[in-house]
Amino acid sequence: MTISVTPRIKLAVKSEGREATTVRVGDFLVGGDRIAVIAGPCSVESREQMMEAAHAVKAAGATMLRGGAFKPRTLPYSFQGLGEEGLRILAEAREETGLPVVTEAMAPGEVGVVEEYADVLQIGARNMQNYPLLKRVGRAGKPILLKRGMGSTIEELLGAAEYVLHGGNPDVILCERGIRTFQKITRFTLDITAVPLLKEVSHLPVVVDPSHGTGHRELVAPMARAAVAAGADGLLIEVHPNPDEAKSDGAQSLRPEGFSSLMRELGPVARAVDRSL
Ligand code: PEP
Ligand code: MN
């Protein structure tokens, strides 16, 4: 084998009899034949905004709903999220659409309440090496969507996954969301190589986030198609009913029409790599 990671990583890597793991979310198997599409706004801003987004992504064929209630923002002056009120709105959106909900927990003390409402707990890029948080979600009863840190290597991502698996939670989905490079026009550089690389060394499902990975709405669909072509098990896409008014990440958020067209374009790409939408 020419590609390998440190043998100290035991649980996040492939082994005999453990070639591919699927993670069950409701009746959907992430890592199975169908491509998981997790869509919704960056932040839960209001009941109206979230319901409109939820119905739009459901109608276009999304498999899960996203929306941040606890938001990791670069500045303390920016919108910090609605907190538990946001979680209640997400739960209501799940009731109305039947879509499982993915949302972030930023601190060990937040995990309990997020677990009460969410179907999948997201660990954000800025927290990929927050070891107390990783240990806490290792004891959670819900699947974890683990985002790669913007300055983290593939081995470090697998090391973070190892914490969750070692803690006793077998349900980890890895997420490539772009890394920092010298390139300044895009928000990050989406590392598509991470997809076949992770699929080669790890048994865990891999999803790609072209929204944070590019920072520009125009670049989201082409990179989403590239991710599926490269073998991703799923996508995380920011969709906002009115991106110009978004409280966070408007520039990278697709409008509902853009998301519907993307869903139509993804079908043939998925079929070309023996997957379905
Ligand atoms: C997000 O998904 O809203 C988010 C904050 O992503 P990241 O942690 O990848 O920046
Ligand atoms: Mn965002």
Side-chain angles (χ1 to χ4, degrees):
M1 191 155 76
T2 59
I3 299 175
S4 60
V5 296
T6 170
R8 301 191 63 214
I9 301 176
K10 306 273 185 221
L11 303 170
V13 293
K14 282 182 181 169
S15 62
E16 229 180 88
R18 196 180 57 194
E19 285 289 311
T21 294
T22 53
V23 171
R24 175 175 289 281
V25 182
D27 45 21
F28 194 91
L29 287 180
V30 183
D33 172 62
R34 282 179 65 199
I35 304 293
V37 183
I38 305 162
C42 179
S43 305
V44 182
E45 298 169 5
S46 68
R47 198 184 163 279
E48 295 63 38
Q49 170 252 14
M50 195 61 223
M51 293 307 154
E52 200 177 334
H55 284 290
V57 301
K58 165 81 181 179
T63 39
M64 285 178 230
L65 184 62
R66 65 150 285 144
F70 295 96
K71 292 302 301 177
R73 303 306 302 277
T74 302
L75 288 173
Y77 315 113
S78 306
F79 178 61
Q80 300 287 308
L82 297 179
E84 190 167 355
E85 172 61 13
L87 297 176
R88 281 192 286 268
I89 294 171
L90 283 168
E92 202 180 328
R94 171 180 53 216
E95 287 282 292
E96 286 206 10
T97 60
L99 294 176
V101 159
V102 183
T103 195
E104 178 163 353
M106 294 195 294
E110 264 166 35
V111 172
V113 68
V114 175
E115 236 193 313
E116 268 178 52
Y117 294 92
D119 300 284
V120 176
L121 276 55
Q122 178 171 320
I123 300 300
R126 290 157 190 80
N127 272 316
M128 192 204 82
Q129 288 180 311
N130 179 337
Y131 298 112
L133 182 60
L134 296 174
K135 286 178 183 172
R136 175 63 187 85
V137 298
R139 293 186 276 109
K142 297 276 167 77
I144 306 306
L145 178 72
L146 178 63
K147 300 190 91 174
R148 179 183 181 183
M150 61 188 81
S152 298
T153 66
I154 293 294
E155 273 194 339
E156 286 165 339
L157 171 60
L158 292 173
E162 192 82 3
Y163 265 87
V164 182
L165 299 168
H166 178 72
N169 188 342
D171 294 322
V172 178
I173 303 163
L174 303 172
C175 179
E176 165 59 41
R177 49 77 74 210
I179 52 176
R180 274 268 154 78
T181 67
F182 50 83
Q183 211 302 109
K184 293 285 181 284
I185 297 175
T186 53
R187 191 174 177 194
F188 297 97
T189 296
L190 190 61
D191 181 12
I192 293 286
T193 307
V195 178
L197 178 50
L198 286 167
K199 298 299 291 181
E200 176 69 24
V201 298
S202 176
H203 57 95
L204 298 170
V206 178
V207 311
V208 170
D209 170 0
S211 304
H212 294 88
T214 63
H216 297 281
R217 183 180 307 124
E218 300 86 330
L219 305 180
V220 170
M223 295 314 285
R225 296 193 302 259
V228 171
D233 298 299
L235 296 166
L236 187 152
I237 310 277
E238 286 189 341
V239 180
H240 194 288
N242 186 1
D244 297 334
E245 311 266 282
K247 292 198 163 128
S248 60
D249 290 352
Q252 68 193 35
S253 298
L254 296 185
R255 297 188 171 82
E257 316 82 81
F259 180 64
S260 300
S261 347
L262 170 59
M263 290 299 284
R264 283 192 296 274
E265 294 162 12
L266 286 174
V269 181
R271 285 192 290 282
V273 290
D274 290 326
R275 306 292 287 267
S276 62
L277 256 199

